[in-house]
């Protein structure tokens, strides 16, 4: 089985994340990491690959120079190869443009041998739209089995279980297909010493839009269907009250809620 | 009033049997503010029972999609059907409630129609003939405004973001039946099994005006959290620790990998305030936190913080509120 796993480099969510005047994420802080939820995607890809001898897992990222770290992290976890699409024209892409670029890169990986499965995380912890998996599947004309809490491949078909707000579902589709996995799907492995050493010997292949045959005018800010026209840090909450319970805090809470007309 | 839209505003009419979800009335309120005719798209049966509510909200036309069966639950066939309706109706905007399923549907519509899509919006308005959406990002610490520059603008609005209001004058909704056939074979997922969760007696978490949430500090005993939620007529939420422990269903999880809530009032008890959790509740109106550790990060964002034991504070507050309510 050949599996491509999509990994995104995002600002560390524990850091102070900011937006620039252009409404774009400031990505030069140096405190970026592999999107935590993509660790679940890598783990799922590795586990599925382990069920089928001779499988290959290719990690794919689209992003600025720092994004190589995300690809490297996937290699350390055990991915066999990595591809990094690096091109200034990609900056400012919306979901659809990002999907176009990822799809072109996956087709290129597919030229060396068919790709059976594309695995993504459930959301990137910066954009957090959870739109990309569906957009990418549509670009590649693959069935999308999203938000998998469980995933299995058997007899040329993939089957997932997912927990939605109002229902629990089981979906299945013949391969090739795209799956997005949630943080419930597995417990991501921590790269061990052997994995870290092995990753050093692996190369991250860097590709540009020209390599992929993608017209720069269709992506990035130029191709975006939405435009950020304003971005501002939200004011910190004022008039905050902190009380220590002296046996009457519950009464104070009730009074606060009544006074604020919240009941 | 700025330049009008050229075509109608289409609203996805999420429903449970024949009752539209409360958030749909919010979408319809936003849709009317655009000054263009308001249309709805309805999947499956039950529309007759909802027509009164839709008339009260000023819906002029309802496109009823039949023939999809279970596939109506999947983003690709449902999104393709909505794209078809939007194209036929020459819609200028499509509004949906921002849930995981609807965000996927909206994405599919975007792929099919080349529409720009903004999800998780808190507000939407028409400015100079353009659809502008507002959204809070980065765990509620930033606000952004996005203009959709395509002829069809798709916006997924979070439930509870705006106040639903009835139309100034009721309409007489025309029902138009649209029959779509699920697209071909092969490249689609099939729904093997679907088990609806029994509806809770409490309000839906994502739509509730009041949410009381419990974390590890409950140690598995949610009775105090539930009691306060019931006095306030609110929904019960939880942290991932609590859902992972199996103390409460996974659908109660608030946060980046769970439900995003923005109620008028959020009360968190025995919750430390990890950034993953904050991402799902920081945009709430008023935040109350009860935690025995004064150093808990949740206090940094709480309007009203109480350092104390949730098992004494919550029941006392519930009893007092009951007394005041008489
Ligand atoms: C705060 C913020 C809000 C935004 N809102 C919108 C919006 O409403 N509409 C819109 O069209 N665009 C929006 N964008 C732009 C959008 O985030 C980017 O286009 C992004 O590349 C894809 O979306 P996502 O990060 O939300 O990914 P998600 O859909 O949340 O990510 C799901 C999975 O897709 C994969 N993936 C995503 N991006 C990459 C990548 N670059 N390389 C490899 N794999 C990847 C990962 O496996 C990830 O787990 C927003 C961006 C930001 C920063
Ligand atoms: C990729 C990823 C995604 C995640 N997504 C989510 C998500 O969507 N939602 C989410 O919630 N978490 C999520 N998490 C987990 C998150 O990081 C935290 O671990 C979690 O939110 C902590 O839950 P908690 O506050 O209940 O527990 P803790 O952090 O253990 O806090 C318990 C608190 O209870 C207090 N306490 C104990 N006893 C009492 C008492 N008797 N009275 C009052 N206070 C008491 C303690 O002082 C403590 O502050 C995610 C983690 C990862 C890595």
């Amino acid at each position: 089985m050949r599996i491509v796993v999509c990994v995104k480099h995002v600002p560390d969510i524990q850091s102070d994340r900011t937006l620039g005047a252009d409404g774009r994420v400031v990505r030069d802080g140096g405190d970026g990491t592999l999107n935590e939820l993509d660790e679940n995607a890598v783990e799922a890809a590795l586990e599925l690959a382990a069920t089928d001898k001779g499988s290959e897992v290719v990690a794919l990222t689209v992003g600025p120079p720092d994004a190589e770290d995300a690809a490297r992290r996937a290699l350390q976890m055990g991915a066999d190869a990595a591809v990094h699409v690096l091109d200034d024209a990609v900056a400012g892409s919306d979901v659809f443009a990002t999907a176009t670029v990822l799809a072109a890169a996956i087709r290129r990986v597919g030229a060396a041998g068919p790709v059976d499965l594309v695995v993504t995380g459930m959301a990137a912890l910066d954009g957090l739209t959870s739109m990309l998996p569906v957009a990418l599947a549509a670009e590649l004309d693959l069935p999308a089995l999203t938000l998998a809490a469980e995933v299995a491949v058997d007899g040329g078909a993939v089957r997932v279980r997912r927990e939605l707000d109002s229902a629990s579902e089981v979906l299945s589709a013949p391969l090739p297909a795209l799956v997005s996995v949630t943080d419930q799907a597995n417990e991501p492995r921590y790269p061990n010493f052997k994995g870290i050493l092995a990753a050093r010997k692996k190369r991250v292949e860097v590709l540009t839009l020209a390599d992929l045959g993608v017209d720069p005018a269709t992506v990035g800010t130029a191709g975006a269907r939405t435009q950020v026209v304003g971005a501002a840090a939200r004011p910190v909450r004022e008039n905050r009250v902190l009380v220590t319970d002296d046996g009457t805090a519950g009464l104070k809470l009730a009074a606060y809620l009544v006074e604020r007309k919240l009941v | 009033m700025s330049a009008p839209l050229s075509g109608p505003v289409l609203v996805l009419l999420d429903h449970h049997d024949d009752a539209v979800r409360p958030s749909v009335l919010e979408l319809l309120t936003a849709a009317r503010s655009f000054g263009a005719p308001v249309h709805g798209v309805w999947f499956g049966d039950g529309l007759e029972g909802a027509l009164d509510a839709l008339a009260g909200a000023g819906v002029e036309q309802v496109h009823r999609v039949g023939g999809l069966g279970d596939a109506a639950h999947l983003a690709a066939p449902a999104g393709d059907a909505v794209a078809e309706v939007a194209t036929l109706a020459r819609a200028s905007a499509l509004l949906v409630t921002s849930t995981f399923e609807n965000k996927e549907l909206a994405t599919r519509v975007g792929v099919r129609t080349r529409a720009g899509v903004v999800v998780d919006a808190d507000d939407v308005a028409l400015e100079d003939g353009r659809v502008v959406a507002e959204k809070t990002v980065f765990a509620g610490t930033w606000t952004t405004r996005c203009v959709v520059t395509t002829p069809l603008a798709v916006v997924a609005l979070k439930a509870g973001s705006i106040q639903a209001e009835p139309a100034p004058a009721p309409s007489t909704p025309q029902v138009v039946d649209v029959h779509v056939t699920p697209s071909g074979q092969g490249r689609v997922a099939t729904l093997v099994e679907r088990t609806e969760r029994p509806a809770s007696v409490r309000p839906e978490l994502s739509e509730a005006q009041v949410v009381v949430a419990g974390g590890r500090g409950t140690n598995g005993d949610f009775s105090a959290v539930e009691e306060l939620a019931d006095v306030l007529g609110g929904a019960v939420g939880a942290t991932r620790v609590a859902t992972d422990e199996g103390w409460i269903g996974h659908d109660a999880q608030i946060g980046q990998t769970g439900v995003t809530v923005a109620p008028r009032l959020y009360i968190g008890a025995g919750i430390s305030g990890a950034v993953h959790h904050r991402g799902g509740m920081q945009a709430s109106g008023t935040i109350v936190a009860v935690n025995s550790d004064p150093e808990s990060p949740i206090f940094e964002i709480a309007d009203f913080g109480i350092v104390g034991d949730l098992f004494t504070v919550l029941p006392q507050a519930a009893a007092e509120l009951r007394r005041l309510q008489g």
Side-chain angles (χ1 to χ4, degrees), chain B:
Chain B
M1 185 82 200
S2 54
L5 286 175
S6 60
V9 183
L10 192 60
V11 172
L12 180 65
L13 305 173
D14 286 329
H15 58 97
H16 193 78
D17 298 329
D18 64 357
V20 290
R21 298 222 172 250
S23 60
V24 167
L25 300 176
E26 297 160 14
L27 297 179
L28 292 170
T29 304
R32 286 197 312 269
S33 76
F34 290 10
V38 176
H39 289 198
V41 53
W42 179 283
F43 281 95
D45 301 328
L47 174 57
E48 289 74 17
L51 282 176
D52 277 353
L54 297 175
V59 176
E60 292 181 21
Q61 214 177 88
V62 182
H63 305 265
R64 173 167 56 190
V65 181
L68 274 184
D70 264 358
H73 293 296
L74 296 175
D80 290 355
V82 173
E84 204 174 307
V85 169
T87 308
L88 286 174
R90 296 176 194 281
S92 293
L94 166 68
L95 303 183
V96 306
T97 305
S98 209
T99 60
F100 276 115
E101 287 124 300
N102 286 350
K103 286 186 341 181
E104 295 192 350
L105 180 149
T107 307
R108 185 76 183 191
V109 173
V111 170
R112 282 283 170 264
T113 63
R114 307 199 63 77
V117 182
V118 178
V119 298
D120 297 322
D122 305 309
D123 203 1
V124 63
L126 192 68
E127 291 175 16
D128 298 326
R130 301 197 302 180
V131 174
V132 182
E134 210 168 272
K135 64 191 260 181
T136 48
V137 302
F138 290 166
T141 55
W142 282 73
T143 303
T144 60
R145 285 164 54 77
C146 318
V147 174
V148 185
T149 52
T150 47
L152 172 65
V154 181
V155 177
L157 201 63
K158 285 197 285 203
S161 305
I162 57 170
Q163 186 79 37
E165 274 158 29
S171 58
T172 315
Q174 304 291 310
V175 178
V176 182
D177 279 300
V178 186
H179 204 82
V180 293
T181 29
S183 54
Q185 299 89 39
R187 297 285 176 84
V188 288
T190 20
L191 187 59
V192 180
E193 206 178 288
R194 180 176 161 96
T195 320
E196 303 266 347
R197 259 181 264 287
S200 161
V201 290
R202 301 195 177 91
E204 187 99 16
L205 182 57
S206 60
E207 294 178 345
Q209 298 282 330
V210 175
V211 171
V212 185
R216 197 199 301 273
T218 63
N219 210 8
D221 179 0
F222 263 67
S223 58
V225 170
E226 288 171 349
E227 183 195 6
L228 185 56
D230 289 342
V231 173
L232 293 166
V236 172
T239 63
R240 194 174 84 172
V241 168
T243 58
D244 279 356
E245 291 284 347
W247 298 340
I248 184 166
H250 181 61
D251 48 330
Q253 182 188 319
I254 295 171
Q256 279 177 329
T257 54
V259 181
T260 301
V261 300
R264 283 182 65 218
L265 171 64
Y266 164 98
I267 301 179
I271 291 176
S272 62
V275 64
H276 299 101
H277 183 75
R278 291 209 305 259
M281 48 63 71
Q282 195 153 348
S284 302
T286 298
I287 296 175
V288 173
V290 182
N291 193 304
S292 47
D293 175 7
E295 303 297 326
S296 280
I298 189 107
F299 288 131
E300 292 164 18
I301 56 160
D303 297 291
F304 193 79
I306 296 173
V307 181
D309 185 344
L310 73 93
F311 291 106
T312 54
V313 176
L314 264 47
Q316 189 181 47
E320 175 69 357
L321 287 168
R322 259 195 307 265
R323 189 184 69 79
L324 292 171
Q325 285 165 0

Side-chain angles (χ1 to χ4, degrees), chain A residues 15-169:
Chain A
S15 69
D16 278 333
R17 296 174 293 173
T18 53
L19 292 169
D22 55 0
R24 296 196 345 227
V25 184
V26 175
R27 295 187 190 272
D28 59 3
D31 49 6
T33 64
L34 167 61
N35 175 35
E36 276 174 283
L37 294 168
D38 292 345
E39 291 182 15
N40 296 98
V42 175
E43 181 63 37
L46 294 173
E47 284 176 13
L48 290 172
T51 64
D52 182 20
K53 226 170 147 32
S55 290
E56 188 190 11
V57 175
V58 181
L60 168 62
T61 190
V62 173
D66 277 0
E68 188 191 333
D69 294 352
R72 286 247 156 249
R73 177 80 179 182
L75 290 174
Q76 290 174 350
M77 286 177 73
D80 301 290
V83 174
H84 177 190
V85 182
L86 173 64
D87 198 310
D88 289 346
V90 175
S93 287
D94 63 10
V95 167
F96 302 103
T98 307
T100 304
V101 176
L102 285 168
I106 290 169
R107 278 192 213 100
R108 184 176 158 116
V109 172
V115 171
D116 302 294
L117 194 64
V118 176
V119 183
T120 76
M122 69 178 288
L125 289 174
D126 54 351
L128 214 66
T129 65
S130 294
M131 291 167 67
L132 189 104
V134 166
L136 179 58
E139 266 312 315
L140 292 167
D141 195 19
L142 293 179
L145 298 87
T146 55
L147 303 171
E150 253 171 52
V151 50
V153 171
D154 192 19
V158 57
R159 196 180 169 92
V160 311
R161 181 181 58 80
R162 58 186 202 155
E163 302 297 334
L164 302 170
D165 286 354
S166 57
S168 165
E169 294 182 344

